[in-house]
Amino acid sequence: VCNRPKEHTVTSDMATRTPMPTSHNVVESRAHSLWRGLLRWESVLVLVLIGVVIFGSSQTPNFLNPTNFFYAGLNMGEIAIMALPLTLIIMTGEIDLSVASMLGLSGAVMGELFSNGWPIWLAIAAALVVGAVGGALNGVLVARVGLPSIAVTIGTLALFRGIALILLAPRTITGFPESLTTIGVVPIPGTEVAYSAAIFLVMAVITGVILHATPLGRSIFAIGLQPEAAQFAGIRVNRIKFCLYVVSGLVCAFAGILLTLKNASVSYDAGTGLELNVVAIVLFGGVSIFGGRGTIIGVVLSVAIVGALQQALTQMNVQPEVQNIVLGVLLLISVVIPNSGEAIAHIRDRARRRA
């Protein structure tokens, strides 16, 4: 089991007596908690989402059309799915920049095997195995060997993309079963929800429960805050990190399969550059790049904001290059604002020491 910590006993000698709180302290504490709740990054994201919706509806008359939400979910589905395991990895203080390359590699493996006569379900299974193996490679190099995750995953980013190029070269594989490719062009019957968006929401609920309501989730927070202290507390830090990278590879491979079926075709460069979108969504959702802080609700809100904003800009005929600039600005905001308090406190502390 990846998350089972060693048992520790707490004796009465370790307990301390705390004074009874007065009514004034209780009121002050409640007011402080309410104020902190209003200032949570998720509250800011709700306001931003409302602003994006108002902006989109004022610029394009069909922005609030249900069909528009279908296309927004369709465009964001695979990116959002890849953001979930990356959220857990970043919360441990690591990163995975190979997510989009694994998406492309899994699609290439699936397409190559299918074009060589493999049954579609066997080709899908093989693509998932490739994803797990690629994630295990990242996990071994980061968690077992101890190499920096940013350097490792930049290397595997190029490795996975290179293997996809060798497999498909200039070819584009088509001819996938129509019964599966329809998931990319029609919503779930009776709704305007894309299949990939629905899969993301289900996975987000599962990930949220794991992160916020299980011992594994508490271990992930602990690893991100103080990895050495977590190790001494009996948390299997390296094993958890290894498992998270395997899950990331598996989920990204699944996203690659969804993208291939949605497009009804695959080429070696599928998903090129999407790692920027995935990282931007996770960080804009309030997940600290330093680890130990973040929520799945924030990531879901971030997905909604980016999806709605991109859909509005697309309907306004804004060029993709300009949309990338907007995404870059969001990425900078997501790093600067949530960490500004810590930065200011650090500057003040240094000023006091000099004084």
Side-chain angles (χ1 to χ4, degrees):
V1 181
C2 293
N3 62 317
R4 184 178 297 168
K6 298 175 182 176
E7 297 289 338
H8 287 279
T9 17
V10 179
T11 64
S12 58
D13 296 336
M14 299 172 62
T16 56
R17 187 183 299 271
T18 53
M20 293 295 292
T22 65
S23 59
H24 174 74
N25 291 337
V26 170
V27 172
E28 185 178 348
S29 176
R30 288 179 178 175
H32 182 65
S33 299
L34 177 62
W35 181 244
R36 287 187 61 187
L38 292 175
L39 292 180
R40 285 177 63 92
W41 183 249
E42 290 80 3
S43 303
V44 176
L45 291 179
V46 171
L47 296 178
V48 172
L49 179 59
I50 295 172
V52 169
V53 172
I54 294 174
F55 168 76
S57 57
S58 66
Q59 296 297 317
T60 58
N62 298 323
F63 181 76
L64 295 179
N65 190 303
T67 304
N68 199 40
F69 289 103
F70 163 70
Y71 285 112
L74 192 66
N75 294 333
M76 291 296 298
E78 293 78 24
I79 297 173
I81 288 171
M82 290 190 293
L84 293 175
L86 184 62
T87 297
L88 302 182
I89 288 176
I90 291 180
M91 289 193 67
T92 65
E94 306 291 352
I95 198 167
D96 185 359
L97 296 178
S98 66
V99 288
S101 293
M102 177 50 70
L103 174 144
L105 175 59
S106 64
V109 169
M110 172 184 163
E112 175 67 13
L113 295 178
F114 179 74
S115 67
N116 287 328
W118 282 46
I120 185 62
W121 293 110
L122 282 180
I124 289 174
L128 292 174
V129 170
V130 168
V133 171
L137 174 62
N138 283 333
V140 167
L141 294 177
V142 174
R144 304 297 183 184
V145 180
L147 298 176
S149 58
I150 188 169
V152 168
T153 55
I154 286 176
T156 52
L157 178 155
L159 173 64
F160 298 157
R161 189 64 66 183
I163 296 174
L165 174 61
I166 292 172
L167 286 175
L168 296 186
R171 292 181 299 148
T172 297
I173 306 298
T174 59
F176 296 101
E178 187 176 346
S179 59
L180 295 177
T181 56
T182 53
I183 66 173
V185 293
V186 297
I188 296 174
T191 71
E192 289 295 336
V193 179
Y195 280 93
S196 56
I199 292 171
F200 162 70
L201 291 175
V202 172
M203 293 179 65
V205 171
I206 295 172
T207 307
V209 171
I210 291 173
L211 181 61
H212 301 294
T214 67
L216 174 59
R218 291 189 287 273
S219 297
I220 290 173
F221 278 107
I223 293 170
L225 289 171
Q226 291 289 344
E228 294 84 4
Q231 188 83 47
F232 283 121
I235 296 174
R236 294 178 171 88
V237 174
N238 292 334
R239 182 177 294 185
I240 290 176
K241 287 184 178 181
F242 174 80
C243 290
L244 291 180
Y245 275 106
V246 173
V247 170
S248 178
L250 190 62
V251 171
C252 291
F254 176 66
I257 293 167
L258 289 178
L259 181 65
T260 300
L261 296 177
K262 180 178 76 174
N263 295 334
S265 65
V266 63
S267 57
Y268 78 91
D269 59 347
T272 300
L274 289 185
E275 52 274 337
L276 170 64
N277 302 59
V278 180
V279 172
I281 283 172
V282 173
L283 297 185
F284 190 62
V287 178
S288 173
I289 190 65
F290 304 109
R293 188 177 72 231
T295 64
I296 296 298
I297 293 177
V299 174
V300 172
L301 289 171
S302 178
V303 168
I305 291 169
V306 174
L309 184 59
Q310 286 187 339
Q311 196 66 17
L313 295 176
T314 300
Q315 291 188 333
M316 293 166 58
N317 296 320
V318 176
Q319 296 298 318
E321 294 79 8
V322 178
Q323 295 187 31
N324 287 336
I325 293 175
V326 174
L327 196 63
V329 171
L330 290 180
L331 182 58
L332 289 175
I333 291 173
S334 65
V335 173
V336 173
I337 293 181
N339 297 291
S340 59
E342 296 177 11
I344 293 173
H346 181 66
I347 293 173
R348 287 178 177 174
D349 185 57
R350 291 184 62 184
R352 288 195 197 99
R353 290 178 180 178
R354 291 178 179 178

